[in-house]
Amino acid sequence: MLNRARSLTLFIVRRFAGLCLTLLVASFAIFGALYLQPSDPIAFLAHGRQLSPQSVAILRAEYHLDQPFLVRYWEWLTSALHGDLGQSLVTKTAVSTLISGRIGTTVFLLAYGSLLIIVFGVLLGIVSALRRGLVGGAITAGLTVGIAMPSFVAAIILITVFAVQLSWFPAFGQGAGFADRLWHLTLPAIALALSATAYLSRLTRSAVRDELGREHVETARGRGIPWRLILRRHVVRNAMIPITTVSAITIAALMVGTAVVETAFGIAGLGSLLVQSVSDGDFAVVQGIALLLVTGFVVINTIVDVLYAVLDPRIDVPGLAVA
């Protein structure tokens, strides 16, 4: 047990070091990609006007464009570590201020979508695994359609049916207050979570069926243990390890889909801000949001790796010796 605790500690330290290295490489890629684009930031700042060489020099000095690339990157990175992500080229507002004003809506949407994924993904997967007749077949067919449906297609269908034709939900906006926000973000959360819910359901179905065929399950049934108890303790409980892992990774990937969903539903979140900033050429805002999204994704994946090693000692994790 002591050897396993030490090995687990070493594994966590290695994963944390890998996290830092990954974020460093990602930050360099984010900063470098925007400065390698063909358009010149000075041309954007000039708004199409012809500037004198003196004006160009002033702008380059103000935005540190006259410094070497690595120097600019290091200044940006160190400032980002202190919460300073620069200033928007369009609104002249601090990027951190723009992000803080919208991040709450995006987090609410992600939490809502994640809840739908976990509840309906696991529930539908278990039901389709236990019901192999018409019900199971109908659920499986629906899951196949859901996996193949992109978020923007789901958004269009949901708006057309439930917002325009039935008028059950609003088509745009994020609402104010918890109840109103919950009502406004129901359709966006469904559109965001639909494909991931179908994917998790298929995985749950496969994991539960694998557990149903295990020898210890057959032994428990032969001993006359009630089926509900077997299902809860020996089937669902064991199947939840891979389900939990994939759920966390799937939820982390939702951050990318928020840009499409928030734009489709007119939601003032980080995703729509990212799309608008890309369209406006607002480099500082794009860099800040991209760094935030990548950080969230990498952190969640690292936590999943650690939890997987902790929860399931049967898994042979590199660098983790099981005593």
Side-chain angles (χ1 to χ4, degrees), residues 109 146 149-164 169-172 184 186-195 257-267:
L109 177 60
M149 184 174 296
S151 297
F152 70 91
V153 176
I156 294 174
I157 295 175
L158 291 171
I159 291 175
T160 302
V161 176
F162 295 101
V164 177
F169 298 96
F172 300 99
H184 275 77
T186 294
L187 292 185
I190 294 175
L192 182 65
L194 183 61
S195 180
T258 56
V260 175
V261 173
E262 289 179 359
T263 302
F265 286 92
I267 298 173

PDB file of all heavy atoms in Angstrom, residues 109 146 149-164 169-172 184 186-195 257-267:
ATOM      1  N   LEU A 109     -23.919  27.617 -19.214  1.00  0.00           N
ATOM      2  CA  LEU A 109     -24.298  26.794 -20.362  1.00  0.00           C
ATOM      3  C   LEU A 109     -23.554  25.466 -20.343  1.00  0.00           C
ATOM      4  O   LEU A 109     -24.151  24.402 -20.593  1.00  0.00           O
ATOM      5  CB  LEU A 109     -24.004  27.549 -21.655  1.00  0.00           C
ATOM      6  CG  LEU A 109     -24.282  26.809 -22.965  1.00  0.00           C
ATOM      7  CD1 LEU A 109     -25.748  26.422 -23.083  1.00  0.00           C
ATOM      8  CD2 LEU A 109     -23.859  27.662 -24.160  1.00  0.00           C
ATOM      9  N   GLY A 146     -28.248  10.995 -33.213  1.00  0.00           N
ATOM     10  CA  GLY A 146     -27.719  12.056 -32.367  1.00  0.00           C
ATOM     11  C   GLY A 146     -26.213  12.232 -32.511  1.00  0.00           C
ATOM     12  O   GLY A 146     -25.710  13.350 -32.528  1.00  0.00           O
ATOM     13  N   MET A 149     -25.309  14.210 -35.668  1.00  0.00           N
ATOM     14  CA  MET A 149     -25.898  15.543 -35.835  1.00  0.00           C
ATOM     15  C   MET A 149     -24.991  16.621 -35.242  1.00  0.00           C
ATOM     16  O   MET A 149     -24.784  16.664 -34.027  1.00  0.00           O
ATOM     17  CB  MET A 149     -27.274  15.610 -35.169  1.00  0.00           C
ATOM     18  CG  MET A 149     -27.982  16.932 -35.396  1.00  0.00           C
ATOM     19  SD  MET A 149     -29.671  16.928 -34.738  1.00  0.00           S
ATOM     20  CE  MET A 149     -30.440  15.672 -35.769  1.00  0.00           C
ATOM     21  N   PRO A 150     -24.451  17.530 -36.053  1.00  0.00           N
ATOM     22  CA  PRO A 150     -23.624  18.625 -35.529  1.00  0.00           C
ATOM     23  C   PRO A 150     -24.448  19.588 -34.682  1.00  0.00           C
ATOM     24  O   PRO A 150     -25.681  19.654 -34.797  1.00  0.00           O
ATOM     25  CB  PRO A 150     -23.106  19.307 -36.802  1.00  0.00           C
ATOM     26  CG  PRO A 150     -23.332  18.330 -37.907  1.00  0.00           C
ATOM     27  CD  PRO A 150     -24.532  17.527 -37.521  1.00  0.00           C
ATOM     28  N   SER A 151     -23.760  20.356 -33.871  1.00  0.00           N
ATOM     29  CA  SER A 151     -24.437  21.276 -32.954  1.00  0.00           C
ATOM     30  C   SER A 151     -25.234  22.339 -33.695  1.00  0.00           C
ATOM     31  O   SER A 151     -26.343  22.701 -33.266  1.00  0.00           O
ATOM     32  CB  SER A 151     -23.414  21.937 -32.030  1.00  0.00           C
ATOM     33  OG  SER A 151     -22.773  20.993 -31.219  1.00  0.00           O
ATOM     34  N   PHE A 152     -24.699  22.851 -34.816  1.00  0.00           N
ATOM     35  CA  PHE A 152     -25.408  23.924 -35.511  1.00  0.00           C
ATOM     36  C   PHE A 152     -26.681  23.399 -36.172  1.00  0.00           C
ATOM     37  O   PHE A 152     -27.687  24.121 -36.257  1.00  0.00           O
ATOM     38  CB  PHE A 152     -24.496  24.598 -36.539  1.00  0.00           C
ATOM     39  CG  PHE A 152     -24.161  23.764 -37.748  1.00  0.00           C
ATOM     40  CD1 PHE A 152     -24.945  23.821 -38.893  1.00  0.00           C
ATOM     41  CD2 PHE A 152     -23.061  22.927 -37.745  1.00  0.00           C
ATOM     42  CE1 PHE A 152     -24.640  23.060 -40.009  1.00  0.00           C
ATOM     43  CE2 PHE A 152     -22.741  22.171 -38.852  1.00  0.00           C
ATOM     44  CZ  PHE A 152     -23.529  22.228 -39.984  1.00  0.00           C
ATOM     45  N   VAL A 153     -26.675  22.141 -36.621  1.00  0.00           N
ATOM     46  CA  VAL A 153     -27.894  21.547 -37.184  1.00  0.00           C
ATOM     47  C   VAL A 153     -28.925  21.354 -36.082  1.00  0.00           C
ATOM     48  O   VAL A 153     -30.116  21.656 -36.256  1.00  0.00           O
ATOM     49  CB  VAL A 153     -27.573  20.206 -37.878  1.00  0.00           C
ATOM     50  CG1 VAL A 153     -28.866  19.539 -38.368  1.00  0.00           C
ATOM     51  CG2 VAL A 153     -26.619  20.419 -39.035  1.00  0.00           C
ATOM     52  N   ALA A 154     -28.487  20.841 -34.934  1.00  0.00           N
ATOM     53  CA  ALA A 154     -29.400  20.679 -33.801  1.00  0.00           C
ATOM     54  C   ALA A 154     -29.973  22.018 -33.365  1.00  0.00           C
ATOM     55  O   ALA A 154     -31.165  22.124 -33.023  1.00  0.00           O
ATOM     56  CB  ALA A 154     -28.666  20.010 -32.643  1.00  0.00           C
ATOM     57  N   ALA A 155     -29.141  23.072 -33.385  1.00  0.00           N
ATOM     58  CA  ALA A 155     -29.618  24.396 -32.995  1.00  0.00           C
ATOM     59  C   ALA A 155     -30.706  24.890 -33.937  1.00  0.00           C
ATOM     60  O   ALA A 155     -31.732  25.442 -33.493  1.00  0.00           O
ATOM     61  CB  ALA A 155     -28.441  25.374 -32.967  1.00  0.00           C
ATOM     62  N   ILE A 156     -30.514  24.711 -35.234  1.00  0.00           N
ATOM     63  CA  ILE A 156     -31.514  25.157 -36.215  1.00  0.00           C
ATOM     64  C   ILE A 156     -32.827  24.419 -36.024  1.00  0.00           C
ATOM     65  O   ILE A 156     -33.917  25.016 -36.048  1.00  0.00           O
ATOM     66  CB  ILE A 156     -30.972  24.947 -37.644  1.00  0.00           C
ATOM     67  CG1 ILE A 156     -29.777  25.873 -37.896  1.00  0.00           C
ATOM     68  CG2 ILE A 156     -32.073  25.209 -38.681  1.00  0.00           C
ATOM     69  CD1 ILE A 156     -29.084  25.629 -39.216  1.00  0.00           C
ATOM     70  N   ILE A 157     -32.757  23.108 -35.833  1.00  0.00           N
ATOM     71  CA  ILE A 157     -33.965  22.306 -35.646  1.00  0.00           C
ATOM     72  C   ILE A 157     -34.691  22.709 -34.370  1.00  0.00           C
ATOM     73  O   ILE A 157     -35.924  22.883 -34.361  1.00  0.00           O
ATOM     74  CB  ILE A 157     -33.614  20.810 -35.621  1.00  0.00           C
ATOM     75  CG1 ILE A 157     -33.070  20.363 -36.984  1.00  0.00           C
ATOM     76  CG2 ILE A 157     -34.840  19.976 -35.248  1.00  0.00           C
ATOM     77  CD1 ILE A 157     -32.582  18.930 -37.009  1.00  0.00           C
ATOM     78  N   LEU A 158     -33.968  22.871 -33.286  1.00  0.00           N
ATOM     79  CA  LEU A 158     -34.583  23.237 -32.008  1.00  0.00           C
ATOM     80  C   LEU A 158     -35.228  24.618 -32.070  1.00  0.00           C
ATOM     81  O   LEU A 158     -36.324  24.830 -31.539  1.00  0.00           O
ATOM     82  CB  LEU A 158     -33.525  23.197 -30.901  1.00  0.00           C
ATOM     83  CG  LEU A 158     -33.000  21.807 -30.526  1.00  0.00           C
ATOM     84  CD1 LEU A 158     -31.818  21.924 -29.577  1.00  0.00           C
ATOM     85  CD2 LEU A 158     -34.101  20.964 -29.905  1.00  0.00           C
ATOM     86  N   ILE A 159     -34.555  25.567 -32.707  1.00  0.00           N
ATOM     87  CA  ILE A 159     -35.134  26.912 -32.838  1.00  0.00           C
ATOM     88  C   ILE A 159     -36.405  26.866 -33.682  1.00  0.00           C
ATOM     89  O   ILE A 159     -37.425  27.480 -33.326  1.00  0.00           O
ATOM     90  CB  ILE A 159     -34.103  27.877 -33.458  1.00  0.00           C
ATOM     91  CG1 ILE A 159     -32.961  28.136 -32.484  1.00  0.00           C
ATOM     92  CG2 ILE A 159     -34.763  29.196 -33.849  1.00  0.00           C
ATOM     93  CD1 ILE A 159     -31.835  28.972 -33.060  1.00  0.00           C
ATOM     94  N   THR A 160     -36.347  26.139 -34.781  1.00  0.00           N
ATOM     95  CA  THR A 160     -37.499  26.073 -35.684  1.00  0.00           C
ATOM     96  C   THR A 160     -38.706  25.433 -35.007  1.00  0.00           C
ATOM     97  O   THR A 160     -39.836  25.944 -35.108  1.00  0.00           O
ATOM     98  CB  THR A 160     -37.135  25.281 -36.951  1.00  0.00           C
ATOM     99  OG1 THR A 160     -36.016  25.903 -37.587  1.00  0.00           O
ATOM    100  CG2 THR A 160     -38.322  25.237 -37.909  1.00  0.00           C
ATOM    101  N   VAL A 161     -38.486  24.335 -34.305  1.00  0.00           N
ATOM    102  CA  VAL A 161     -39.602  23.571 -33.728  1.00  0.00           C
ATOM    103  C   VAL A 161     -40.078  24.177 -32.416  1.00  0.00           C
ATOM    104  O   VAL A 161     -41.263  24.501 -32.249  1.00  0.00           O
ATOM    105  CB  VAL A 161     -39.193  22.098 -33.534  1.00  0.00           C
ATOM    106  CG1 VAL A 161     -40.328  21.322 -32.839  1.00  0.00           C
ATOM    107  CG2 VAL A 161     -38.858  21.452 -34.863  1.00  0.00           C
ATOM    108  N   PHE A 162     -39.163  24.318 -31.456  1.00  0.00           N
ATOM    109  CA  PHE A 162     -39.576  24.662 -30.095  1.00  0.00           C
ATOM    110  C   PHE A 162     -39.620  26.162 -29.816  1.00  0.00           C
ATOM    111  O   PHE A 162     -40.280  26.583 -28.866  1.00  0.00           O
ATOM    112  CB  PHE A 162     -38.629  23.990 -29.091  1.00  0.00           C
ATOM    113  CG  PHE A 162     -38.697  22.499 -29.116  1.00  0.00           C
ATOM    114  CD1 PHE A 162     -37.725  21.767 -29.780  1.00  0.00           C
ATOM    115  CD2 PHE A 162     -39.732  21.824 -28.489  1.00  0.00           C
ATOM    116  CE1 PHE A 162     -37.774  20.384 -29.813  1.00  0.00           C
ATOM    117  CE2 PHE A 162     -39.792  20.439 -28.509  1.00  0.00           C
ATOM    118  CZ  PHE A 162     -38.820  19.714 -29.177  1.00  0.00           C
ATOM    119  N   ALA A 163     -38.938  26.966 -30.612  1.00  0.00           N
ATOM    120  CA  ALA A 163     -38.967  28.408 -30.395  1.00  0.00           C
ATOM    121  C   ALA A 163     -39.923  29.115 -31.343  1.00  0.00           C
ATOM    122  O   ALA A 163     -40.700  29.978 -30.923  1.00  0.00           O
ATOM    123  CB  ALA A 163     -37.555  28.991 -30.540  1.00  0.00           C
ATOM    124  N   VAL A 164     -39.898  28.735 -32.631  1.00  0.00           N
ATOM    125  CA  VAL A 164     -40.719  29.428 -33.629  1.00  0.00           C
ATOM    126  C   VAL A 164     -42.121  28.822 -33.718  1.00  0.00           C
ATOM    127  O   VAL A 164     -43.122  29.528 -33.583  1.00  0.00           O
ATOM    128  CB  VAL A 164     -40.020  29.401 -35.009  1.00  0.00           C
ATOM    129  CG1 VAL A 164     -40.906  30.057 -36.061  1.00  0.00           C
ATOM    130  CG2 VAL A 164     -38.669  30.105 -34.933  1.00  0.00           C
ATOM    131  N   PHE A 169     -39.881  27.955 -25.876  1.00  0.00           N
ATOM    132  CA  PHE A 169     -38.649  28.528 -25.357  1.00  0.00           C
ATOM    133  C   PHE A 169     -38.251  29.728 -26.212  1.00  0.00           C
ATOM    134  O   PHE A 169     -38.596  29.799 -27.393  1.00  0.00           O
ATOM    135  CB  PHE A 169     -37.511  27.497 -25.369  1.00  0.00           C
ATOM    136  CG  PHE A 169     -37.760  26.294 -24.496  1.00  0.00           C
ATOM    137  CD1 PHE A 169     -38.282  25.126 -25.039  1.00  0.00           C
ATOM    138  CD2 PHE A 169     -37.464  26.328 -23.143  1.00  0.00           C
ATOM    139  CE1 PHE A 169     -38.511  24.016 -24.252  1.00  0.00           C
ATOM    140  CE2 PHE A 169     -37.690  25.218 -22.346  1.00  0.00           C
ATOM    141  CZ  PHE A 169     -38.214  24.065 -22.903  1.00  0.00           C
ATOM    142  N   PRO A 170     -37.505  30.668 -25.629  1.00  0.00           N
ATOM    143  CA  PRO A 170     -37.000  31.800 -26.429  1.00  0.00           C
ATOM    144  C   PRO A 170     -35.904  31.350 -27.384  1.00  0.00           C
ATOM    145  O   PRO A 170     -35.184  30.379 -27.115  1.00  0.00           O
ATOM    146  CB  PRO A 170     -36.468  32.765 -25.377  1.00  0.00           C
ATOM    147  CG  PRO A 170     -36.154  31.904 -24.199  1.00  0.00           C
ATOM    148  CD  PRO A 170     -37.153  30.793 -24.204  1.00  0.00           C
ATOM    149  N   ALA A 171     -35.791  32.052 -28.488  1.00  0.00           N
ATOM    150  CA  ALA A 171     -34.799  31.675 -29.508  1.00  0.00           C
ATOM    151  C   ALA A 171     -33.468  32.378 -29.321  1.00  0.00           C
ATOM    152  O   ALA A 171     -32.448  31.897 -29.825  1.00  0.00           O
ATOM    153  CB  ALA A 171     -35.354  31.984 -30.904  1.00  0.00           C
ATOM    154  N   PHE A 172     -33.465  33.510 -28.593  1.00  0.00           N
ATOM    155  CA  PHE A 172     -32.230  34.288 -28.460  1.00  0.00           C
ATOM    156  C   PHE A 172     -32.073  34.776 -27.028  1.00  0.00           C
ATOM    157  O   PHE A 172     -33.045  34.865 -26.271  1.00  0.00           O
ATOM    158  CB  PHE A 172     -32.240  35.492 -29.414  1.00  0.00           C
ATOM    159  CG  PHE A 172     -32.366  35.113 -30.865  1.00  0.00           C
ATOM    160  CD1 PHE A 172     -33.593  35.182 -31.508  1.00  0.00           C
ATOM    161  CD2 PHE A 172     -31.255  34.676 -31.576  1.00  0.00           C
ATOM    162  CE1 PHE A 172     -33.713  34.831 -32.835  1.00  0.00           C
ATOM    163  CE2 PHE A 172     -31.364  34.319 -32.902  1.00  0.00           C
ATOM    164  CZ  PHE A 172     -32.590  34.395 -33.532  1.00  0.00           C
ATOM    165  N   HIS A 184     -33.965  30.293 -20.806  1.00  0.00           N
ATOM    166  CA  HIS A 184     -33.345  30.759 -22.056  1.00  0.00           C
ATOM    167  C   HIS A 184     -32.286  29.794 -22.580  1.00  0.00           C
ATOM    168  O   HIS A 184     -32.121  29.654 -23.801  1.00  0.00           O
ATOM    169  CB  HIS A 184     -32.708  32.141 -21.855  1.00  0.00           C
ATOM    170  CG  HIS A 184     -33.654  33.287 -22.018  1.00  0.00           C
ATOM    171  ND1 HIS A 184     -34.566  33.646 -21.041  1.00  0.00           N
ATOM    172  CD2 HIS A 184     -33.848  34.156 -23.050  1.00  0.00           C
ATOM    173  CE1 HIS A 184     -35.264  34.690 -21.453  1.00  0.00           C
ATOM    174  NE2 HIS A 184     -34.857  35.022 -22.668  1.00  0.00           N
ATOM    175  N   THR A 186     -32.077  26.492 -22.136  1.00  0.00           N
ATOM    176  CA  THR A 186     -32.464  25.083 -22.286  1.00  0.00           C
ATOM    177  C   THR A 186     -32.188  24.581 -23.700  1.00  0.00           C
ATOM    178  O   THR A 186     -31.537  23.539 -23.890  1.00  0.00           O
ATOM    179  CB  THR A 186     -33.955  24.903 -21.944  1.00  0.00           C
ATOM    180  OG1 THR A 186     -34.160  25.190 -20.555  1.00  0.00           O
ATOM    181  CG2 THR A 186     -34.398  23.465 -22.219  1.00  0.00           C
ATOM    182  N   LEU A 187     -32.672  25.281 -24.700  1.00  0.00           N
ATOM    183  CA  LEU A 187     -32.427  24.853 -26.080  1.00  0.00           C
ATOM    184  C   LEU A 187     -30.943  24.886 -26.438  1.00  0.00           C
ATOM    185  O   LEU A 187     -30.443  23.926 -27.052  1.00  0.00           O
ATOM    186  CB  LEU A 187     -33.233  25.731 -27.051  1.00  0.00           C
ATOM    187  CG  LEU A 187     -34.756  25.578 -27.004  1.00  0.00           C
ATOM    188  CD1 LEU A 187     -35.400  26.426 -28.107  1.00  0.00           C
ATOM    189  CD2 LEU A 187     -35.178  24.132 -27.138  1.00  0.00           C
ATOM    190  N   PRO A 188     -30.201  25.940 -26.078  1.00  0.00           N
ATOM    191  CA  PRO A 188     -28.764  25.903 -26.358  1.00  0.00           C
ATOM    192  C   PRO A 188     -28.044  24.739 -25.675  1.00  0.00           C
ATOM    193  O   PRO A 188     -27.147  24.132 -26.261  1.00  0.00           O
ATOM    194  CB  PRO A 188     -28.262  27.248 -25.814  1.00  0.00           C
ATOM    195  CG  PRO A 188     -29.439  28.145 -25.884  1.00  0.00           C
ATOM    196  CD  PRO A 188     -30.618  27.274 -25.594  1.00  0.00           C
ATOM    197  N   ALA A 189     -28.439  24.430 -24.439  1.00  0.00           N
ATOM    198  CA  ALA A 189     -27.796  23.323 -23.734  1.00  0.00           C
ATOM    199  C   ALA A 189     -28.088  21.988 -24.417  1.00  0.00           C
ATOM    200  O   ALA A 189     -27.213  21.122 -24.521  1.00  0.00           O
ATOM    201  CB  ALA A 189     -28.264  23.288 -22.277  1.00  0.00           C
ATOM    202  N   ILE A 190     -29.311  21.821 -24.899  1.00  0.00           N
ATOM    203  CA  ILE A 190     -29.658  20.590 -25.615  1.00  0.00           C
ATOM    204  C   ILE A 190     -28.863  20.477 -26.905  1.00  0.00           C
ATOM    205  O   ILE A 190     -28.337  19.408 -27.241  1.00  0.00           O
ATOM    206  CB  ILE A 190     -31.171  20.551 -25.896  1.00  0.00           C
ATOM    207  CG1 ILE A 190     -31.957  20.454 -24.583  1.00  0.00           C
ATOM    208  CG2 ILE A 190     -31.522  19.363 -26.802  1.00  0.00           C
ATOM    209  CD1 ILE A 190     -33.454  20.536 -24.765  1.00  0.00           C
ATOM    210  N   ALA A 191     -28.790  21.575 -27.648  1.00  0.00           N
ATOM    211  CA  ALA A 191     -28.014  21.565 -28.896  1.00  0.00           C
ATOM    212  C   ALA A 191     -26.544  21.273 -28.634  1.00  0.00           C
ATOM    213  O   ALA A 191     -25.893  20.548 -29.399  1.00  0.00           O
ATOM    214  CB  ALA A 191     -28.162  22.912 -29.606  1.00  0.00           C
ATOM    215  N   LEU A 192     -26.020  21.810 -27.548  1.00  0.00           N
ATOM    216  CA  LEU A 192     -24.610  21.599 -27.204  1.00  0.00           C
ATOM    217  C   LEU A 192     -24.349  20.166 -26.764  1.00  0.00           C
ATOM    218  O   LEU A 192     -23.302  19.586 -27.076  1.00  0.00           O
ATOM    219  CB  LEU A 192     -24.208  22.572 -26.092  1.00  0.00           C
ATOM    220  CG  LEU A 192     -22.754  22.548 -25.626  1.00  0.00           C
ATOM    221  CD1 LEU A 192     -21.822  22.990 -26.750  1.00  0.00           C
ATOM    222  CD2 LEU A 192     -22.581  23.455 -24.402  1.00  0.00           C
ATOM    223  N   ALA A 193     -25.310  19.581 -26.051  1.00  0.00           N
ATOM    224  CA  ALA A 193     -25.085  18.278 -25.418  1.00  0.00           C
ATOM    225  C   ALA A 193     -25.578  17.096 -26.245  1.00  0.00           C
ATOM    226  O   ALA A 193     -25.277  15.956 -25.893  1.00  0.00           O
ATOM    227  CB  ALA A 193     -25.780  18.256 -24.048  1.00  0.00           C
ATOM    228  N   LEU A 194     -26.322  17.323 -27.308  1.00  0.00           N
ATOM    229  CA  LEU A 194     -26.991  16.228 -28.012  1.00  0.00           C
ATOM    230  C   LEU A 194     -26.017  15.169 -28.506  1.00  0.00           C
ATOM    231  O   LEU A 194     -26.161  13.973 -28.216  1.00  0.00           O
ATOM    232  CB  LEU A 194     -27.800  16.789 -29.181  1.00  0.00           C
ATOM    233  CG  LEU A 194     -28.614  15.756 -29.975  1.00  0.00           C
ATOM    234  CD1 LEU A 194     -29.631  15.068 -29.073  1.00  0.00           C
ATOM    235  CD2 LEU A 194     -29.313  16.430 -31.155  1.00  0.00           C
ATOM    236  N   SER A 195     -25.027  15.574 -29.261  1.00  0.00           N
ATOM    237  CA  SER A 195     -24.084  14.610 -29.828  1.00  0.00           C
ATOM    238  C   SER A 195     -23.290  13.898 -28.744  1.00  0.00           C
ATOM    239  O   SER A 195     -23.085  12.682 -28.790  1.00  0.00           O
ATOM    240  CB  SER A 195     -23.139  15.317 -30.803  1.00  0.00           C
ATOM    241  OG  SER A 195     -22.213  14.411 -31.355  1.00  0.00           O
ATOM    242  N   GLY A 257     -17.568  23.614 -28.657  1.00  0.00           N
ATOM    243  CA  GLY A 257     -18.893  23.757 -29.263  1.00  0.00           C
ATOM    244  C   GLY A 257     -19.654  24.980 -28.822  1.00  0.00           C
ATOM    245  O   GLY A 257     -20.645  25.361 -29.473  1.00  0.00           O
ATOM    246  N   THR A 258     -19.222  25.631 -27.735  1.00  0.00           N
ATOM    247  CA  THR A 258     -19.960  26.811 -27.275  1.00  0.00           C
ATOM    248  C   THR A 258     -19.932  27.942 -28.290  1.00  0.00           C
ATOM    249  O   THR A 258     -20.872  28.741 -28.355  1.00  0.00           O
ATOM    250  CB  THR A 258     -19.376  27.319 -25.946  1.00  0.00           C
ATOM    251  OG1 THR A 258     -17.971  27.586 -26.113  1.00  0.00           O
ATOM    252  CG2 THR A 258     -19.553  26.295 -24.848  1.00  0.00           C
ATOM    253  N   ALA A 259     -18.870  28.026 -29.095  1.00  0.00           N
ATOM    254  CA  ALA A 259     -18.782  29.106 -30.083  1.00  0.00           C
ATOM    255  C   ALA A 259     -19.924  29.011 -31.086  1.00  0.00           C
ATOM    256  O   ALA A 259     -20.571  30.018 -31.419  1.00  0.00           O
ATOM    257  CB  ALA A 259     -17.433  29.041 -30.805  1.00  0.00           C
ATOM    258  N   VAL A 260     -20.204  27.803 -31.565  1.00  0.00           N
ATOM    259  CA  VAL A 260     -21.275  27.605 -32.553  1.00  0.00           C
ATOM    260  C   VAL A 260     -22.635  27.843 -31.916  1.00  0.00           C
ATOM    261  O   VAL A 260     -23.487  28.556 -32.460  1.00  0.00           O
ATOM    262  CB  VAL A 260     -21.190  26.192 -33.147  1.00  0.00           C
ATOM    263  CG1 VAL A 260     -22.366  25.932 -34.081  1.00  0.00           C
ATOM    264  CG2 VAL A 260     -19.871  25.987 -33.873  1.00  0.00           C
ATOM    265  N   VAL A 261     -22.864  27.246 -30.745  1.00  0.00           N
ATOM    266  CA  VAL A 261     -24.180  27.320 -30.101  1.00  0.00           C
ATOM    267  C   VAL A 261     -24.485  28.745 -29.653  1.00  0.00           C
ATOM    268  O   VAL A 261     -25.604  29.244 -29.854  1.00  0.00           O
ATOM    269  CB  VAL A 261     -24.234  26.341 -28.910  1.00  0.00           C
ATOM    270  CG1 VAL A 261     -25.528  26.532 -28.127  1.00  0.00           C
ATOM    271  CG2 VAL A 261     -24.128  24.907 -29.399  1.00  0.00           C
ATOM    272  N   GLU A 262     -23.534  29.416 -29.033  1.00  0.00           N
ATOM    273  CA  GLU A 262     -23.780  30.780 -28.567  1.00  0.00           C
ATOM    274  C   GLU A 262     -24.040  31.729 -29.730  1.00  0.00           C
ATOM    275  O   GLU A 262     -24.875  32.640 -29.610  1.00  0.00           O
ATOM    276  CB  GLU A 262     -22.591  31.265 -27.741  1.00  0.00           C
ATOM    277  CG  GLU A 262     -22.474  30.601 -26.388  1.00  0.00           C
ATOM    278  CD  GLU A 262     -21.282  31.083 -25.592  1.00  0.00           C
ATOM    279  OE1 GLU A 262     -20.527  31.932 -26.112  1.00  0.00           O
ATOM    280  OE2 GLU A 262     -21.096  30.628 -24.449  1.00  0.00           O
ATOM    281  N   THR A 263     -23.366  31.521 -30.833  1.00  0.00           N
ATOM    282  CA  THR A 263     -23.612  32.360 -32.009  1.00  0.00           C
ATOM    283  C   THR A 263     -24.987  32.096 -32.580  1.00  0.00           C
ATOM    284  O   THR A 263     -25.710  33.033 -32.962  1.00  0.00           O
ATOM    285  CB  THR A 263     -22.530  32.102 -33.075  1.00  0.00           C
ATOM    286  OG1 THR A 263     -21.237  32.367 -32.518  1.00  0.00           O
ATOM    287  CG2 THR A 263     -22.747  32.991 -34.283  1.00  0.00           C
ATOM    288  N   ALA A 264     -25.385  30.834 -32.651  1.00  0.00           N
ATOM    289  CA  ALA A 264     -26.692  30.475 -33.219  1.00  0.00           C
ATOM    290  C   ALA A 264     -27.844  31.033 -32.388  1.00  0.00           C
ATOM    291  O   ALA A 264     -28.862  31.460 -32.936  1.00  0.00           O
ATOM    292  CB  ALA A 264     -26.814  28.955 -33.337  1.00  0.00           C
ATOM    293  N   PHE A 265     -27.688  31.049 -31.061  1.00  0.00           N
ATOM    294  CA  PHE A 265     -28.772  31.501 -30.183  1.00  0.00           C
ATOM    295  C   PHE A 265     -28.587  32.941 -29.700  1.00  0.00           C
ATOM    296  O   PHE A 265     -29.366  33.405 -28.859  1.00  0.00           O
ATOM    297  CB  PHE A 265     -28.883  30.578 -28.970  1.00  0.00           C
ATOM    298  CG  PHE A 265     -29.491  29.231 -29.274  1.00  0.00           C
ATOM    299  CD1 PHE A 265     -28.689  28.162 -29.617  1.00  0.00           C
ATOM    300  CD2 PHE A 265     -30.865  29.037 -29.223  1.00  0.00           C
ATOM    301  CE1 PHE A 265     -29.230  26.919 -29.898  1.00  0.00           C
ATOM    302  CE2 PHE A 265     -31.415  27.803 -29.500  1.00  0.00           C
ATOM    303  CZ  PHE A 265     -30.601  26.741 -29.850  1.00  0.00           C
ATOM    304  N   GLY A 266     -27.598  33.644 -30.209  1.00  0.00           N
ATOM    305  CA  GLY A 266     -27.394  35.032 -29.812  1.00  0.00           C
ATOM    306  C   GLY A 266     -27.081  35.197 -28.348  1.00  0.00           C
ATOM    307  O   GLY A 266     -27.579  36.125 -27.694  1.00  0.00           O
ATOM    308  N   ILE A 267     -26.244  34.330 -27.803  1.00  0.00           N
ATOM    309  CA  ILE A 267     -25.899  34.357 -26.384  1.00  0.00           C
ATOM    310  C   ILE A 267     -24.590  35.119 -26.206  1.00  0.00           C
ATOM    311  O   ILE A 267     -23.614  34.872 -26.913  1.00  0.00           O
ATOM    312  CB  ILE A 267     -25.760  32.922 -25.834  1.00  0.00           C
ATOM    313  CG1 ILE A 267     -27.100  32.187 -25.972  1.00  0.00           C
ATOM    314  CG2 ILE A 267     -25.312  32.939 -24.380  1.00  0.00           C
ATOM    315  CD1 ILE A 267     -27.005  30.722 -25.621  1.00  0.00           C
TER     316      ILE A 267
END
